């Protein structure tokens, strides 16, 4: 390329390529038009010249080692061209997707008859064929098959035959026009014989041709069109006649009444007849009016109320019932009596005046008391369930669950915990409490029993109660209330102090949770524990614990800490001292049982369960056996451990140790000292002076039968007989079997239960009752079978199985930093392939990120263009508006100036 400026280089390149028009010295000739091929060659030459003139459009990568004859892809590139190609590609794909982003389209099936289920496939095909032919012949000027009506001198040609009135008639007066129809010709001139007709009728119908079908379709269409026109003309004529006769009818309707009706009898008789409507029409009209007037309108249904609204309504209902109760107590008239008198007669509940042999007033009471039952009857809602909650109290927290729990707990209101004491897996709802003032507890219970016996049905339960902050306040509230009404009092307190009604109610209910825990400890304290009341209070405590778990956990942990301190004080006095309180009593055991019911016991670490588990293990491991009461308490702790570890199956060695020691203390066996016993169980109390009297007396026990131990009786009585020993021994054997079934999957089950199986087998079953001996023998057989299976499942230890170690081969060490060629040539094929995959993944990831960024920049540019276009259109529109306003204002000012000039001229004149 020649040197010089860009313009000079361009001119030289164009002249060398022959693209510059050469001047013609001679006569001008008309040149032929260039062909497409010439245009393509010219464009290619121009593009080549452009590329040569713009060296910056080509990017060249300098090779570090240039080897002759080797072609490397990617050494030269055209960034501008590739960028433009990418933009064009994005305009075709990404821009289309962006523009169609918020659009939604679909395919609408517009085929004739496709969505009409009444049309057969043949009818659909015929309809489509007809429309296709009509569409094809729509632009033809002389298509006689078109539906458009053709006329001649105002007369429709479709009503005329091909040869009607064409001038071939013999006489103009002839009605037929000298022509015979087709039917006459066929019947009279060419046959019409009966035989041929019969033959034709017997033959099957001939299939019509397409032309005949189309001709029939067109004929039917024209016939329908003619009928419509005829009907339209008839309607028009009838309407015209009615318009003509309207004047006469109007004269009859608005005619003035005659002055003398008797003077013209004909007029008097004829005038009212057309004006009077038909009586049947009046009746029918009146019937329709009455039906519309008596038609009942649809009533809107009440919307679903929120929890706050339900709580507010429940509180208002309790307060209203309390006001009515106070009025009845003072002898004042209540509003409910007047309201009931004014309402329609409704079914009423049975009262005291309807006393019969089967009258039972308490059966109609709801969960909140008898007062709400009266209000429910007055409002038309009757509660049929004696043990369920009232419908007005469904908005309270866990109301339905509490009622169900109370019903279930009332089934076991026998005051005994024998069922739970024997089987720790059953949930009976018996809970324990803290040791309180036993003397005050006995006095309050006696007062309540005395009052309840003297006034069984006259005492009415209030509807509103304050929320107690301490346990003493709660005792004052329930001082004169029976035990069966205390859950109702707690429920009303919770309903009146719902958290949605006031901000401070949340803290009141938190304190109520602590009060209930203390009251549970209070009512389970000896000498008269009330487990039935505990079962009815447990649902309320569970609901509060679920609502406020942190505060409830703190209250439970506080009681557990106090129990642990009492244990340390008792151990400091002496573990074997009969006066030292080491083993837990009824309140402590009940509290531990409540904890197992309210909190998840399978958690590895829990704020309440973990301290309770540690405390129960401390009781079993540190306390010494001194009496049957200690064994009963320990066995209940073992049953609690069974309940706690039912899901997690964690190993509790203290429970197994205590059960084995209980069997050794109670059952007759041949062992005389601890050294002769199998296994390594701790035997601190074996054959001590305190535990020797605990063994069964063979003569007395032989006559007894195995039963279920009663926890309240065992812990309350100071002296227990042989029956209690038999029951406790039976429970110990049962728990050993359940623990064996739970721990049979442990690796050390054989070492754990092999000594237990030997001890159970050495028990003298001849000195035991028959059913107890059967249980001991059954336990021994079960343990033998489980140990056999565990031994069969064991496998001896073996060396770890692995592939044979190959002979070491010393692969040369390659330097990965010195040579690029060796860097990608790993002698390990798998590692090399993995490295290639990683490199490919990295490269593809970079490429994907780069393309996503380019797409984002492209979309941002397109959005900016659209925004600029909108701004430009807006500015232009505003300029036009301002221009029009300015022009109008200029014209207005010009007119004002003209008016001023005219005024001046008028003033001069």
């Amino acid at each position: 390329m020649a040197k010089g400026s860009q313009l000079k280089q361009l001119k030289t390149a164009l002249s060398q390529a022959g693209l510059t028009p050469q001047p013609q010295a001679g006569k001008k000739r008309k040149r032929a038009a260039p062909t497409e091929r010439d245009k393509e060659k010219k464009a290619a030459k121009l593009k080549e010249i452009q590329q040569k003139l713009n060296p910056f459009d080509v990017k060249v990568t300098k090779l570090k080692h240039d080897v002759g004859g080797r072609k490397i892809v990617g050494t030269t590139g055209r960034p501008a061209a590739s960028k433009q190609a990418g933009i064009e590609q994005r305009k075709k794909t990404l821009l289309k997707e962006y523009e169609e982003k918020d659009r939604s389209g679909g395919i609408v099936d517009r085929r004739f008859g496709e969505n009409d289920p009444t049309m057969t496939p043949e009818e659909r095909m015929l309809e489509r064929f007809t429309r296709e032919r009509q569409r094809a012949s729509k632009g033809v000027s002389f298509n006689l098959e078109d539906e458009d009506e053709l006329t001649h001198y105002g007369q429709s040609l479709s009503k005329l035959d091909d040869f009607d009135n064409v001038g071939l008639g013999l006489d103009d007066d002839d009605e037929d026009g000298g022509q015979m129809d087709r039917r006459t010709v066929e019947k009279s001139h060419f046959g019409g014989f009966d035989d041929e007709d019969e033959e034709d009728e017997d033959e099957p119908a001939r299939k019509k041709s397409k032309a005949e079908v189309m001709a029939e379709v067109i004929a039917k269409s024209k016939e329908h069109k003619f009928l419509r026109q005829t009907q339209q003309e008839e309607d028009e004529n009838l309407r015209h006649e009615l318009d003509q006769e309207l004047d006469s009818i109007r004269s009859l309707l608005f005619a003035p009444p005659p002055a003398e009706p008797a003077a013209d009898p004909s007029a008097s008789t004829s005038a009212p007849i057309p004006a009077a409507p038909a009586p049947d029409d009046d009746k029918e009209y009146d019937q329709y009016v009455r039906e519309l007037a008596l038609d009942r309108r649809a009533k809107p249904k009440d919307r679903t109320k929120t929890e706050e609204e339900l709580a507010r309504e429940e509180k208002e209902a309790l307060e209203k019932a309390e006001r009515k109760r106070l009025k009845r107590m003072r002898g004042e008239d209540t509003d409910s009596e007047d309201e009931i008198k004014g309402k329609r007669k409704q079914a009423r509940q049975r009262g005291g005046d309807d006393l019969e042999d089967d009258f039972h007033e308490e059966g109609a009471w709801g969960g909140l008391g008898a007062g709400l039952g009266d209000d429910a009857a007055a409002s038309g809602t009757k509660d049929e369930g004696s043990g369920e909650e009232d419908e007005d109290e469904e908005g309270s927290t866990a109301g339905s669950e509490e009622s169900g729990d109370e019903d279930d707990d009332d089934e076991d209101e026998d005051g005994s915990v024998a069922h739970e004491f024997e089987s720790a897996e059953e949930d009976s709802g018996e809970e324990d409490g803290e040791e309180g003032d036993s003397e005050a507890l006995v006095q309050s219970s006696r007062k309540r029993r005395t009052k309840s016996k003297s006034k069984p049905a006259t005492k009415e339960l209030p509807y509103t109660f304050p929320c107690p902050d301490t346990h003493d306040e709660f005792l004052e509230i329930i001082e004169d209330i029976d035990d069966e009404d205390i859950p109702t009092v707690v429920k009303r307190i919770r309903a009146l102090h719902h958290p949605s009604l006031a901000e401070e109610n949340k803290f009141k209910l938190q304190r109520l949770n602590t009060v209930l825990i203390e009251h549970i400890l209070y009512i389970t304290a000896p000498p008269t524990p009330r487990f039935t009341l505990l079962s009815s209070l447990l649902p309320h405590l569970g609901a509060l614990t679920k609502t406020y778990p942190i505060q409830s956990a703190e209250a439970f942990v506080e009681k557990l800490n106090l129990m642990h301190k009492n244990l340390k004080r008792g151990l400091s006095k002496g573990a074997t001292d009969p006066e030292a309180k080491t083993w837990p009593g009824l309140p402590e055991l009940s509290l531990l049982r409540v904890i197992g019911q309210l909190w998840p016991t399978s958690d590895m670490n829990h704020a309440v369960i973990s301290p309770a588990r540690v405390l129960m293990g401390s009781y079993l491991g540190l306390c010494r056996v001194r009496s049957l009461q200690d064994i009963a308490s320990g066995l209940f702790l073992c049953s609690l451990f069974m309940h706690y570890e039912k899901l997690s199956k964690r190993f509790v060695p203290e429970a197994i140790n205590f059960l084995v020691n209980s069997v050794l203390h109670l059952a007759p066996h041949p062992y005389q000292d601890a050294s002769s016993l199998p296994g390594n169980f701790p035997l601190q109390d074996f054959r001590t002076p305190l535990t020797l009297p605990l063994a069964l007396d063979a003569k007395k026990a032989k006559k007894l039968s195995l039963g279920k131990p009663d926890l309240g009786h065992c812990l309350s009585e100071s002296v227990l007989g042989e029956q209690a020993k038999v029951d406790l021994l039976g429970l110990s054997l049962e728990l050993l079997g359940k623990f064996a079934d739970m721990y049979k999957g442990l690796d050390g089950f054989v070492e754990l239960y092999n000594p237990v199986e030997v001890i159970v087998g050495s028990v003298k079953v001849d000195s035991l009752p028959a059913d107890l001996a059967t249980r001991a023998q059954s336990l021994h057989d079960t343990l033998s079978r489980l140990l056999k299976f565990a031994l069969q499942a064991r496998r001896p230890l073996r060396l770890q199985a692995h592939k044979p170690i190959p002979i070491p081969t010393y692969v040369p060490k390659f330097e990965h930093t010195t040579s690029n060629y060796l860097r990608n040539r790993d002698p390990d094929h798998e590692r090399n392939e993995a490295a290639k995959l990683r490199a490919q993944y990295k490269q593809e990831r970079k490429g994907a990120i780069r393309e996503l960024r380019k797409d984002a920049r492209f979309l941002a540019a397109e959005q900016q263009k659209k925004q600029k276009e909108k701004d430009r259109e807006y500015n232009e529109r505003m300029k036009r508006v301002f221009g029009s306003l300015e022009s109008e204002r200029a014209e207005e000012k010009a007119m004002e100036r003209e008016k001023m000039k005219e005024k001046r001229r008028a003033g001069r004149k």
Side-chain angles (χ1 to χ4, degrees):
M1 184 173 289
K3 297 181 179 180
S5 64
Q6 288 280 325
L7 182 58
K8 187 176 180 180
Q9 292 177 11
L10 177 59
K11 289 180 179 180
T12 304
L14 290 175
S15 62
Q16 290 178 357
L19 300 177
T20 304
Q22 300 294 333
Q24 297 178 0
K27 186 179 179 180
K28 294 182 179 181
R29 293 185 303 175
K30 186 176 181 182
R31 303 181 62 183
T35 60
E36 292 294 332
R37 187 173 181 82
D38 296 338
K39 291 181 180 179
E40 291 178 359
K41 290 181 179 180
K42 186 177 180 180
K45 290 180 180 179
L46 288 174
K47 187 175 182 181
E48 184 180 359
I49 293 171
Q50 182 184 3
Q51 292 176 357
K52 290 180 180 180
L53 289 175
N54 187 11
F56 299 101
D57 193 21
V58 180
K59 182 180 180 182
V60 180
T61 302
K62 186 179 179 182
L63 297 177
K64 188 173 184 181
H65 303 287
D66 191 4
V67 180
R70 185 178 63 174
K71 294 182 180 180
I72 300 177
V73 181
T75 55
T76 60
R78 302 183 183 278
S82 62
K83 181 178 180 181
Q84 186 63 28
I87 292 175
E88 294 298 333
Q89 183 68 19
R90 288 182 177 86
K91 285 183 179 179
K92 295 179 183 179
T93 57
L94 186 61
L95 184 59
K96 297 296 183 182
E97 294 179 2
Y98 176 73
E99 291 176 351
E100 300 291 337
K101 181 177 63 173
D102 296 330
R103 297 184 183 178
S104 59
I107 299 175
V108 181
D109 191 358
R110 299 185 183 277
R111 292 181 292 175
F112 298 106
E114 187 65 25
N115 297 324
D116 190 358
T118 60
M119 296 181 65
T120 61
E122 291 78 6
E123 293 177 352
R124 295 177 186 173
M125 294 171 62
L126 181 59
E127 181 69 19
R128 294 172 187 172
F129 179 75
T130 306
R131 296 299 179 92
E132 184 179 357
R133 292 292 298 273
Q134 291 173 358
R135 191 183 302 108
S137 61
K138 191 172 184 180
V140 182
S141 301
F142 301 99
N143 186 8
L144 298 181
E145 294 183 358
D146 193 10
E147 286 190 1
D148 296 339
E149 186 177 2
L150 302 179
T151 59
H152 179 68
Y153 287 96
Q155 187 177 5
S156 176
L157 297 179
S158 62
K159 301 178 183 178
L160 301 176
D161 292 337
D162 294 341
F163 296 97
D164 286 347
N165 300 328
V166 293
L168 299 178
L170 298 176
D171 189 2
D172 295 338
D173 298 334
D174 191 2
E175 296 178 358
D176 298 334
Q179 302 294 328
M180 291 181 292
D181 58 354
R182 183 178 180 182
R183 182 177 182 82
T184 303
V185 174
E186 288 180 355
K187 296 294 183 180
S188 301
H189 290 241
F190 300 98
F193 301 102
D194 297 335
D195 296 338
E196 295 180 1
D197 292 341
E198 293 176 358
E199 293 177 359
D200 296 340
E201 292 177 358
D202 295 338
E203 294 179 357
R206 182 179 59 86
K207 186 177 181 181
K208 297 181 181 180
S209 63
K210 187 179 296 184
E212 292 177 350
V213 172
M214 292 302 303
E216 186 178 353
V217 169
I218 294 173
K220 288 183 179 179
S221 176
K222 291 181 178 180
E223 182 181 358
H224 292 317
K225 190 173 184 179
F226 175 73
L227 291 176
R228 288 196 302 270
Q229 291 178 355
T230 305
Q231 185 66 30
Q232 186 176 1
E233 290 177 358
E234 293 178 357
D235 294 343
E236 189 68 26
N237 295 334
L238 181 60
R239 193 180 300 109
H240 183 68
E241 292 177 2
L242 290 176
D243 292 342
Q244 295 296 332
E245 296 176 359
L246 182 62
D247 295 335
S248 60
I249 298 175
R250 186 183 296 129
S251 63
L252 294 175
L253 290 175
F254 298 100
E260 296 179 359
D264 192 359
S266 61
S268 63
T269 56
S270 61
I273 293 175
D280 295 338
D281 297 341
D282 288 346
K283 292 180 181 180
E284 185 177 1
Y285 175 76
D286 294 341
Q287 183 179 359
Y288 286 152
V289 171
R290 282 193 294 270
E291 289 179 358
L292 292 175
L294 298 177
D295 190 11
R296 179 177 294 180
R297 296 181 179 180
K299 295 181 179 180
K301 296 183 178 180
D302 297 335
R303 64 175 179 84
T304 304
K305 298 180 180 179
T306 61
E307 184 179 356
E308 291 78 7
E309 292 175 347
L310 292 174
R312 190 179 299 106
E313 290 182 359
E314 186 176 0
K315 178 185 177 182
E316 293 174 357
L318 290 174
E319 292 177 349
K320 182 178 179 181
E322 177 66 14
R323 289 194 297 269
K324 291 180 181 180
R325 187 191 68 83
L326 294 177
K327 288 183 179 180
R328 292 195 301 269
M329 183 181 64
R330 294 191 295 266
E332 300 176 359
D333 295 335
T334 59
D335 297 337
S336 60
E337 296 176 358
D338 299 333
E339 292 176 359
I340 294 174
K341 291 178 182 179
K343 291 185 179 180
R344 293 180 301 176
K345 185 177 180 181
Q346 298 177 350
R348 63 183 181 86
Q349 294 183 350
R350 300 173 62 192
D353 296 334
D354 301 325
L355 291 178
E356 295 178 1
D357 296 338
D358 58 346
F359 177 73
H360 183 61
E361 185 179 2
E362 296 179 358
W365 288 8
L368 295 179
L372 291 184
D374 298 338
D375 295 341
S379 61
T381 59
K382 184 176 181 181
D383 188 5
E384 298 179 356
S386 61
E388 298 179 356
E389 301 293 333
D390 191 22
E391 294 181 358
D392 295 332
E393 297 181 356
E394 292 178 359
S396 61
T397 306
S400 60
E401 298 177 359
E402 294 167 3
S403 63
D405 295 336
E406 291 175 7
D407 294 338
D408 297 336
D409 295 328
D410 290 337
E411 298 175 1
D412 299 330
E413 293 179 358
D414 54 353
S416 173
V417 293
H419 182 64
E420 289 74 25
F421 185 43
E422 179 186 0
S423 178
E425 296 177 350
E426 299 180 2
D427 298 330
S428 63
E430 298 176 1
E431 323 302 340
D432 320 345
E434 179 188 2
E435 294 186 12
D437 191 358
S438 59
E439 186 175 347
L441 178 62
V442 172
Q443 292 176 358
S444 61
S445 62
R446 287 178 180 174
K447 288 182 180 179
R448 283 196 298 269
R449 290 200 187 101
T450 303
K451 291 184 178 180
S452 61
K453 290 180 180 179
S454 60
K455 299 179 181 180
T458 57
K459 183 65 177 178
E460 187 175 3
L461 189 67
Y463 292 92
T464 58
F465 299 94
C467 188
D469 292 336
T470 61
H471 184 236
D472 295 337
E473 296 179 3
F474 185 71
L475 291 178
E476 293 178 1
I477 293 174
I478 63 173
E479 183 178 0
D480 297 331
I481 297 176
D482 297 336
D483 289 349
E484 58 269 14
D485 295 333
I486 292 178
T488 305
V489 173
V490 177
K491 182 163 187 61
R492 292 180 179 179
I493 292 175
R494 290 176 55 201
L496 290 170
H497 301 84
H498 196 272
S500 61
L501 301 177
E503 185 177 358
E504 64 274 4
N505 287 350
K506 178 176 68 174
F507 305 102
K508 292 182 179 180
L509 293 180
Q510 292 175 5
R511 291 191 292 269
L512 177 63
N513 186 14
T514 306
V515 170
L516 287 180
I517 294 174
E518 295 179 354
H519 189 65
I520 286 175
L521 296 169
Y522 177 80
I523 61 178
T524 54
T528 56
R530 291 170 286 169
F531 296 108
T532 303
L533 178 58
L534 172 60
S535 301
S536 59
L537 290 179
L538 186 60
H540 299 282
L541 182 59
L544 293 175
T545 301
K546 186 177 181 181
T547 307
Y548 309 106
I550 298 178
Q551 292 76 13
S552 179
E554 293 176 354
F556 277 111
V557 171
E558 182 182 358
K559 299 303 177 184
L560 292 176
N561 291 333
L562 181 58
M563 292 165 59
H564 188 256
K565 292 180 181 178
N566 293 336
L567 174 61
K568 291 193 293 184
R569 294 192 187 101
L571 293 176
S572 63
K573 292 182 180 179
T576 58
D577 187 4
E579 301 297 330
K581 181 173 173 46
T582 55
W583 289 95
L586 277 176
E588 290 85 353
L589 295 176
S590 300
L591 181 64
L592 293 173
R593 181 61 175 165
V594 169
I595 290 174
Q597 286 186 332
L598 298 182
W599 301 98
T601 58
S602 61
D603 295 355
M604 177 63 71
N605 297 312
H606 193 272
V608 180
I609 296 298
S610 297
R613 200 158 38 220
V614 171
L615 180 61
M616 291 162 57
S618 301
Y619 281 132
L620 293 176
L622 299 178
C623 298
R624 305 285 293 274
V625 176
R626 300 161 300 184
S627 60
L628 288 177
Q629 288 79 3
D630 296 345
I631 294 179
S633 180
L635 290 178
F636 190 82
L637 289 175
C638 293
S639 65
L640 289 182
F641 263 124
M642 170 67 68
H643 174 68
Y644 277 31
E645 311 301 338
K646 180 171 55 178
L647 298 177
S648 60
K649 301 184 185 305
R650 282 186 285 265
F651 178 55
V652 184
E654 294 87 355
I656 304 297
N657 176 40
F658 185 82
L659 292 176
V660 172
N661 280 275
S662 299
V663 172
L664 293 174
H665 294 328
L666 297 173
H669 54 79
Y671 303 109
Q672 299 297 328
D673 53 358
S675 60
S676 61
L677 289 172
N680 298 318
F681 297 103
L683 302 170
Q684 300 176 355
D685 300 323
F686 183 71
R687 293 281 183 180
T688 60
L690 295 176
T691 58
L692 283 176
L694 303 181
L696 283 173
D697 189 354
K699 296 181 180 180
K700 297 180 180 179
K702 196 70 175 177
K703 303 176 183 179
L704 301 176
S705 61
L706 180 62
K708 298 179 181 179
D710 188 353
L711 178 64
H713 174 73
C714 291
L715 297 182
S716 301
E717 299 294 333
S718 59
V719 179
L720 299 176
E722 296 297 323
Q723 181 63 45
K725 296 180 183 180
V726 172
D727 297 341
L728 292 176
L729 179 58
L731 180 59
S732 302
L733 296 176
E734 181 182 358
L735 289 177
L736 276 175
K738 291 183 177 181
F739 274 106
D741 185 68
M742 186 170 66
Y743 292 150
K744 62 184 177 181
L746 294 179
D747 295 335
F749 177 75
V750 176
E751 288 75 16
L752 176 65
Y753 263 86
N754 200 3
V756 177
E757 189 261 346
V758 175
I759 292 175
V760 173
S762 63
V763 173
K764 298 178 181 179
V765 295
D766 298 338
S767 303
L768 299 178
D771 44 4
L772 185 58
T774 304
R775 177 173 295 184
Q777 188 64 34
S778 175
L779 176 61
H780 182 263
D781 296 341
T782 302
L783 293 180
S784 301
R785 186 173 62 257
L786 292 177
L787 290 172
K788 178 182 177 183
F789 293 156
L791 286 173
Q792 291 177 357
R794 284 189 170 183
R795 294 293 180 268
L797 293 178
R798 296 183 302 174
L799 293 176
Q800 183 179 1
H802 55 77
K803 295 181 180 180
I805 300 176
I807 300 174
T809 57
Y810 300 99
V811 180
K813 183 178 180 181
F814 293 93
E815 296 291 340
H816 296 282
T817 58
T818 57
S819 175
N820 187 25
Y821 174 74
L822 295 177
R823 184 181 306 170
N824 298 329
R825 297 295 184 272
D826 198 323
D828 191 349
H829 178 70
E830 295 182 359
R831 190 163 60 239
N832 191 18
E833 293 297 329
K836 286 182 180 180
L837 286 177
R838 285 194 298 270
Q840 185 179 0
Y841 166 74
K842 185 177 181 181
Q843 184 179 2
E844 294 294 335
R845 183 173 178 273
K846 287 184 178 179
I849 294 174
R850 183 167 56 251
E851 291 298 326
L852 289 176
R853 289 174 178 171
K854 289 181 180 180
D855 293 345
R857 286 196 295 267
F858 175 76
L859 291 178
E862 292 296 330
Q863 293 175 357
Q864 189 176 10
K865 288 180 183 179
K866 288 186 179 181
Q867 188 63 33
K868 287 183 179 179
E869 184 66 22
K870 290 182 181 179
D871 296 342
R872 185 184 61 78
E873 292 178 358
Y874 176 76
N875 292 331
E876 291 180 357
R877 188 165 60 251
M878 294 303 295
K879 286 179 181 179
R880 288 196 299 270
V881 172
F882 278 111
S884 63
L885 292 176
E886 289 175 357
S887 61
E888 291 177 1
R889 183 58 180 165
E891 292 177 0
E892 184 181 359
K893 288 184 178 179
M895 292 178 63
E896 290 178 357
R897 286 194 295 269
E898 290 295 333
K899 288 180 181 181
M900 293 300 295
K901 289 180 182 179
E902 290 179 1
K903 286 183 180 179
R904 292 195 200 97
R905 294 192 192 102
R908 290 176 185 176
K909 293 179 179 180

